Amino acid sequence: MFKKISIGLVTFICVVSYSLAQALASNLRETPVVQVVRDWSPSVVNISTERVLYLKQQPFWNGYGPMFDDKFSDFVNRNTQTIQKEVRLKGIGSGVIIHDDGVIVTNAHVVNMASKVYVVFSDGVTCDGEVILINQVDDLAFVKVKPPHQLKSVHLANPDDIRIGETVISIGNPFGLENSVSAGIISGKARNFALPKTQHLFTDLVQTDVSINLGSSGGALLNLDGELVGVNLAVIEQAQNIAFAVSVRKIKDGLDYYKSLKEQGRFQN
């Protein structure tokens, strides 16, 4: 009897130990980063744009100055049919759903001067987007879509609670690779950065070491609670692992402005 109980107890302990080991191995893989990506990647969209330019095809255009060009234009339009060539410039970027009624935040340079804006959701559904608000100073833009299905908007972090050294996750579409993920830390807050060519000064930026590439612009920078810390903006090309995001503080300001305009009846669902 004693032997049977001992064998049964040993078997029970082995089974429990194996189960615990399996559970532990599974939990080790189920990191906070994995959870954030799984829960919030559907809130990040791909934005593609198209800008149409028409080039006048005249052999002497711009050859003799604006005064002659104006006269030449009048003569051509009266006597011949002007031939126009259409050029379509395409661009890519990312965006983040910040309101359930179809408001998406991105960078202004992603949608600037676009003739058409297309929003591609994580499930592959594509719909037309309309730029409703734009802030060139902070390089922010708000795009609105008619939701093709129920949308999941991100939660906005408290800008005063962003911590230097905390882990953050970037989700975007670099080079058109949808929902690409990189992780890093917050390297600094309230940074100012001037563009080398234009010397345009950006203020109150979040500095991070996450990877940002062409097409990542407008993507989400999330903390481990899945809250939006900022919108990815740019990386310093000559440096290593120095990137910037527009602070959630300015995103909140833009969203509050949208809500106030909506209450006035400026926007419809």
Side-chain angles (χ1 to χ4, degrees), residues 99-157:
H99 200 286
D100 294 342
D101 64 5
V103 178
I104 296 165
V105 65
T106 184
N107 289 136
H109 74 260
V110 171
V111 297
N112 199 27
M113 301 181 71
S115 303
K116 295 181 179 179
V117 177
Y118 303 101
V119 175
V120 184
F121 294 92
S122 60
D123 57 3
V125 175
T126 303
C127 62
D128 294 335
E130 177 189 3
V131 180
I132 57 172
L133 296 172
I134 196 158
N135 175 356
Q136 298 285 10
V137 174
D138 296 314
D139 202 359
L140 282 179
F142 289 76
V143 176
K144 196 168 190 308
V145 300
K146 292 183 178 179
H149 46 64
Q150 185 174 359
L151 303 181
K152 184 177 183 180
S153 59
V154 297
H155 301 302
L156 303 184

Side-chain angles (χ1 to χ4, degrees), residues 180-236:
S180 292
V181 177
S182 62
I185 62 169
I186 296 291
S187 306
K189 301 190 298 182
R191 299 294 200 199
N192 297 334
F193 174 69
L195 292 176
K197 293 183 179 179
T198 64
Q199 292 303 306
H200 175 79
L201 181 66
F202 292 100
T203 62
D204 195 27
L205 297 174
V206 176
Q207 181 186 339
T208 178
D209 65 350
V210 298
S211 177
I212 295 179
N213 297 283
L214 178 66
S216 297
S217 296
L221 189 67
L222 305 165
N223 62 23
L224 291 184
D225 289 333
E227 298 171 329
L228 187 68
V229 172
V231 166
N232 296 329
L233 176 63
V235 62
I236 299 181

Side-chain angles (χ1 to χ4, degrees), residues 6-43:
S6 299
I7 294 173
L9 181 60
V10 170
T11 303
F12 173 76
I13 293 173
C14 291
V15 171
V16 170
S17 300
Y18 178 78
S19 300
L20 289 174
Q22 291 291 98
L24 181 59
S26 177
N27 289 336
L28 288 175
R29 295 180 60 195
E30 189 67 15
T31 65
V33 173
V34 171
Q35 294 174 19
V36 169
V37 172
R38 182 184 60 238
D39 293 342
W40 297 106
S41 60
S43 301

